[in-house]
Amino acid sequence: MSLPGVFVVLEGVDGSGTTTQLDAVRQALEARGVSVLATREPTPGPIGRFLREALAKRLLDEQGRALELDWAAMALLFAADRVDHVEREIRPALERGEWVLSDRYDLSSIVYQSATSPLGDEAVEWLRALNSRALRPTLTLVLTLDPEVAAARRRARGGPEELYERAELQVRLGRGYAAAQRLLPDDAITFIDAAGSREQVTADILAALTKWLPSPSSIA
């Protein structure tokens, strides 16, 4: 079903700058008179909050030991959070004709859960089916960055290492994102070089969004 709004997703390995660029692009769009909902996954909702505890490795078993959920359990939780996200936030905003910018969406689930599954690529079909109710984005922007540069950025921001931030896994995640068009062949996907300055990356993202931006006359 076609909705009047524009739905843009930012994706990439940890440290690629999706969160930073979400805020920068939101500000740039609002300066152009565009009404924007900036959101993220995992969401601040009940399932998303649980997922953030899992990602931060703060889930404990009955003996107080760190608990790591199975990859398929994580995939189910992400899909459930996404259904709630779409129905509670994304669809209503798009129906109002707003732009929705999301820091991650179902491509993250396909890339991360297939990379952590013992099935590898064989898990992709199930992951796609699991997310079949997810609204398709107008455009997905994959921020590409060398894994070592991304790791340096994560170290610079500080904080403990999260569940998926192991160096070897991040290399595999980078390969997964490089294959994004194969993973979601019916989606519009554009790759953005995230190695430049924040301002340059923002400019490149806005250039990729040009065809959907209102003309100056329509804003006036």
Side-chain angles (χ1 to χ4, degrees), residues 35-115:
S35 179
V36 180
L37 169 67
T39 187
R40 65 178 184 174
E41 292 190 355
T43 73
I47 305 170
R49 290 197 301 273
F50 180 83
L51 276 165
R52 290 196 177 274
E53 291 295 298
L55 293 173
K57 298 190 284 192
R58 290 195 291 260
L59 296 182
L60 304 176
D61 64 15
E62 293 179 351
Q63 284 73 45
R65 296 171 300 198
L67 178 66
E68 186 170 326
L69 297 177
D70 179 75
W71 73 273
M74 292 292 285
L76 290 162
L77 287 165
F78 277 113
D81 187 42
R82 188 161 298 118
V83 169
D84 179 55
H85 192 198
V86 167
E87 298 307 322
R88 182 167 43 84
E89 291 192 275
I90 296 174
R91 187 188 300 275
L94 294 174
E95 288 174 344
R96 294 192 297 267
E98 297 176 6
W99 281 56
V100 175
L101 301 180
S102 184
D103 182 357
R104 303 192 179 279
Y105 195 55
D106 64 338
L107 179 57
S108 278
S109 284
I110 295 171
V111 170
Y112 279 68
Q113 268 66 69
S114 65

Side-chain angles (χ1 to χ4, degrees), residues 2-39:
S2 179
L3 298 172
V6 177
F7 181 19
V8 178
V9 174
L10 297 178
E11 291 278 6
V13 299
D14 297 277
S16 61
T18 58
T19 302
T20 297
Q21 289 302 322
L22 185 85
D23 189 55
V25 174
R26 175 190 60 79
Q27 293 182 49
L29 291 175
E30 289 178 343
R32 288 164 168 78
V34 176
S35 179
V36 180
L37 169 67
T39 187

